[in-house]
Amino acid sequence: MSTTQSERLRELLEPLVSSQGLDLEEIAVDAVGRKRVLRVVVDSDTGADLDRIADVSRALSAKLDETDAMGSAEYTLEVGTPGAERLLTEHRHYVRATGRLVRFQLAGGDELVARITEADDEGLDVEVPGVKGRRPTARRLAFDDITRARVQVEFNRKDDASDKNNDKKEEEA
């Protein structure tokens, strides 16, 4: 997809996405056989449920139908949210990932896996998990020191809410 088409699509679609209280994260046009697929990725600080996705999908579809932004060839519109292992590229992504485990590639070539505890304008406070029974350690990362960051999927993490409920039950017993 040419930069010109990408810019035109972003200019056309971003106001509609914003009007739904969402951020336009990504636009991609891929060829699938003879057809094309326009993939639009949206998100917000509070997440995007299926109803919001459906509303924005209808609005985008109507807007695209009334313009020639996609040309006359057939295409399919897919609207979704970022995947579980999303790449963090904007400040808002780091804020939304607070509490999540992230794999960082650092400017010096090092790699670090840590949980984001806080994000501000200059960087991140993270908690590096302890190894072999050691306590976690706090660390500060400046945004300039981060070359790449990706959220990690955790299958066995204890939920904070369930931990609090268990603590409460133990106190009552």
Side-chain angles (χ1 to χ4, degrees), residues 81-94:
T81 58
E85 291 187 355
R86 78 172 302 161
L87 193 60
L88 306 177
T89 58
E90 303 283 337
H91 181 268
R92 67 178 178 263
H93 299 163
Y94 290 97

Side-chain angles (χ1 to χ4, degrees), residues 46-116:
T46 58
D49 62 22
L50 290 177
D51 290 336
R52 289 175 81 184
I53 297 291
D55 290 344
V56 79
S57 181
R58 283 189 289 275
L60 296 179
S61 181
K63 187 66 163 180
L64 289 165
D65 287 348
E66 71 185 38
T67 69
D68 68 343
M70 288 297 293
S72 60
E74 193 173 325
Y75 69 93
T76 301
L77 172 63
E78 293 181 0
V79 180
T81 58
E85 291 187 355
R86 78 172 302 161
L87 193 60
L88 306 177
T89 58
E90 303 283 337
H91 181 268
R92 67 178 178 263
H93 299 163
Y94 290 97
V95 172
R96 291 174 186 162
T98 298
R100 303 285 308 271
L101 195 64
V102 176
R103 181 176 304 277
F104 296 96
Q105 298 292 325
L106 303 177
D110 292 337
E111 184 174 278
L112 174 70
V113 176
R115 188 171 312 283
I116 298 175

